[in-house]
């Protein structure tokens, strides 16, 4: 018998079918989401520290505080994001007359974060390598052109492009898990479950691509 985490990654339909009639249990899904938030918090801390030298000396102390605050807040926001995603899935599936509790939807949505743990870990490694090898010049933030160039340097950097690309690939993996999760959590057809998940995920992916200036 395969490990449940392996099964949710490779055979989510079978995994959620077995879980469908059990009482919802949120501890493990919450832990999975929290792990992604902790990794994301570390990455946010590294990025903020990487950007600090580009700011005036008087602002660098404040950025240090922001870096720590961001690292602490990111896990909290990841849990909030989990709830928001589950509510969105629940609301869209209601259009298809989905049956099943919000708590079950929340539980199954949490399991879909397993690929995000993998992508967050890979992104963290890339961020750490980039932060250790890239030095930004100090920017005159009173010059709009300099600020725009600064933003472009970060947004279009190979690291950022790679991180977004990895995020999108693993998000599609999560979406596949969520489709089967919504199928069993909300008693949907596979087609309606795919629409439930595909609409918000598709919008988010388009937003990420647009933010890179690709389209």
């Amino acid at each position: 018998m395969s490990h449940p985490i392996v099964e949710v990654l490779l055979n989510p339909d079978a995994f959620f079918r077995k879980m469908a009639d059990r009482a919802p249990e949120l501890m493990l899904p919450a832990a999975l989401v929290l792990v992604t938030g902790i990794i994301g918090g570390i990455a946010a801390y590294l990025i903020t520290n990487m950007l600090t030298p580009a700011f005036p000396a008087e602002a660098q102390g404040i950025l240090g505080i922001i870096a720590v605050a961001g690292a602490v807040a990111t896990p909290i926001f990841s849990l909030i994001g989990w709830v928001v995603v589950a509510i969105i899935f629940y609301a869209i599936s209601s259009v298809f007359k989905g049956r099943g509790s919000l708590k079950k939807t929340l539980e199954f949505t949490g399991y879909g974060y397993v690929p995000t743990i993998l992508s967050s870990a890979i992104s963290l490694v890339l961020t750490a390598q980039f932060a250790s090898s890239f030095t930004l010049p100090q920017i005159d933030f009173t010059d709009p052109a300099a600020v725009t160039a600064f933003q472009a340097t970060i947004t279009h950097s190979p690291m950022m492009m790679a991180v977004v690309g990895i995020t999108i690939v693993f998000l599609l993996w999560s979406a596949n898990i969520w489709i089967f999760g919504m199928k069993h959590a909300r008693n949907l057809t596979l087609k309606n479950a795919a629409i439930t998940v595909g609409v918000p995920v598709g919008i988010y992916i388009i937003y990420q691509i647009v933010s890179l200036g690709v389209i």
Side-chain angles (χ1 to χ4, degrees), residues 22 61 94 149 152 166 194:
R22 300 179 186 177
S94 295
I166 290 169

Side-chain angles (χ1 to χ4, degrees), residues 134-203:
F134 188 75
T135 302
L136 286 170
Q138 193 170 59
I139 305 299
D140 179 7
F141 286 92
T142 63
D143 181 358
V147 173
T148 300
F150 173 74
Q151 293 173 336
T153 298
I154 300 300
T155 303
H156 298 143
S157 66
M159 182 273 293
M160 187 61 68
M161 299 285 282
V163 166
V164 172
I166 290 169
T167 299
I168 289 174
V169 169
F170 280 84
L171 178 58
L172 291 173
W173 194 353
S174 288
N176 179 67
I177 295 172
W178 284 330
I179 288 170
F180 291 104
M182 293 308 101
K183 173 187 173 184
H184 293 287
R186 298 284 285 151
N187 293 286
L188 301 172
T189 65
L190 186 59
K191 176 183 176 181
N192 289 343
I195 295 172
T196 295
V197 174
V199 170
V201 169
I203 292 172

Side-chain angles (χ1 to χ4, degrees), residues 90-130:
Y90 187 88
I92 297 176
S93 62
S94 295
V95 175
F96 302 112
K97 303 188 184 304
R99 293 177 288 107
S101 69
L102 177 59
K103 190 173 182 179
K104 177 62 75 173
T105 301
L106 188 63
E107 178 191 20
F108 283 11
T109 300
Y111 283 110
Y113 276 77
V114 176
T116 306
I117 296 176
L118 302 176
S119 66
S120 296
I122 296 171
S123 298
L124 177 60
V125 172
L126 292 175
T127 301
Q129 291 179 341
F130 186 74

